[in-house]
């Protein structure tokens, strides 16, 4: 094989090795980025879930405060928490992947929350707003209040809702801890693979470079010594010419040159001897 081909293939191999290293690093970085994105989304889910739970407590407090006092301040706090929870539920639905237990649990939380709103808070607020208009409206409100709140169903729904939210948050914490562990392992694996492949690339490149330098320099120095011997008048020297690369062709050319020089010098000496003999005869 020609040296130019060998050098080209060697550098091509090193280039492919570095390209493979870059590809592996890219794939590992994609995995790390995906895990990081999942952890960030899980953190957002937990934060929104805690906000949702806090808003539920604010809604209950606002509802009871309004039912007892009739102050609009309480109903404003209730409406604000209710509107924020609607936004939170929509955001959570977009963050949680489909066909997962967490999404099913979120659906249960939404159903319980809607049940509490439709069957308890909304009718009681509407009745309270009308209670000041007439005595009959006040009587209807008191009757509805006893009907809704003294049965214990409203308290049961609140406890069930709080329990579902706690389970939802705990599940998300567990999933995030597992994914965080996977992320840490992925980062460590990426570092190890990157270091190993980079080290291998450098090692292979160094071996190829040393081999090429040693092979080329050794053969060139052999030819230099041969040229010096020829210059000194030693035409019997020769150099190895195994192979079909450029240096082997040069070695064959030097050997041929040495052989031709030897024949020419021998012929010249013979001619000189003949001239000497002719001159001796003539004299």
């Amino acid at each position: 094989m020609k040296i130019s081909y060998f050098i080209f293939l060697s550098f091509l191999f090193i280039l492919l090795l570095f390209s493979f290293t870059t590809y592996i690093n890219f794939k590992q970085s994609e995995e790390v980025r995906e895990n990081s994105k999942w952890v960030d989304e899980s953190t957002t889910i937990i934060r929104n879930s805690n906000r949702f739970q806090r808003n539920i407590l604010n809604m209950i407090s606002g509802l009871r405060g309004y039912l007892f006092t009739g102050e609009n301040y309480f109903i404003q706090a209730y409406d604000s928490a209710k509107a924020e929870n609607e936004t939170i539920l929509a955001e959570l639905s977009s963050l949680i992947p489909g066909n997962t237990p967490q999404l099913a649990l979120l659906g249960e939380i939404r159903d319980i929350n809607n049940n509490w709103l439709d069957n308890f808070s909304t009718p009681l607020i509407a009745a309270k707003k009308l209670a000041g208009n007439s005595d009959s409206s006040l009587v209807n409100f008191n009757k509805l209040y006893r009907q809704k709140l003294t049965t214990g169903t409203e308290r049961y729904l609140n406890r069930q809702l709080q329990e579902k939210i706690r389970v939802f948050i705990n599940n998300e914490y567990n999933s995030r801890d597992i994914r965080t562990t996977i992320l840490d392992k992925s980062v460590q694996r990426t570092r190890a693979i990157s270091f190993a492949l980079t080290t291998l690339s450098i090692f292979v490149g160094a071996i190829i470079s040393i081999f090429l330098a040693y092979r080329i320099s050794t053969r060139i120095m052999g030819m230099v010594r041969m040229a010096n011997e020829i210059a000194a008048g030693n035409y019997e020297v020769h150099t190895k010419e195994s192979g079909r690369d450029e240096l082997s062709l040069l070695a064959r050319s030097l050997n041929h040159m040495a052989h031709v020089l030897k024949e020419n010098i021998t012929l010249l000496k013979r001619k000189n001897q003949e001239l000497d003999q002719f001159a001796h005869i003539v004299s």
Side-chain angles (χ1 to χ4, degrees), residues 25 28-29 59 111 137-138 170 185 191 194 218 268 281:
N25 288 336
Q28 292 296 318
S29 64
M59 289 172 64
D111 292 340
S137 298
L138 180 60
N170 290 335
K185 292 181 179 179
R191 291 175 179 173
S194 178
T218 301
L268 182 59
I281 292 172

Side-chain angles (χ1 to χ4, degrees), residues 69 84 94 101 142 145 150 186 213 218 233 267:
T69 65
E84 186 177 5
S94 65
N142 291 330
Y145 181 84
T150 58
S186 179
T218 301
L267 180 61

Side-chain angles (χ1 to χ4, degrees), residues 167-217:
V167 172
F168 181 86
I169 294 175
N170 290 335
N171 289 344
E172 198 63 36
Y173 269 120
N174 294 333
S175 298
R176 191 181 67 172
D177 291 341
I178 294 173
R179 202 64 179 246
T180 301
T181 302
I182 295 175
L183 175 60
D184 293 338
K185 292 181 179 179
S186 179
V187 171
Q188 295 174 2
R189 185 170 60 253
T190 299
R191 291 175 179 173
I193 292 176
S194 178
F195 177 78
L197 290 177
T198 303
T199 303
L200 177 63
S201 301
I202 295 174
F203 177 76
V204 172
I207 291 297
I208 292 176
S209 300
I210 292 172
F211 173 76
L212 285 174
Y214 174 78
R215 180 178 176 84
I216 294 174
S217 63

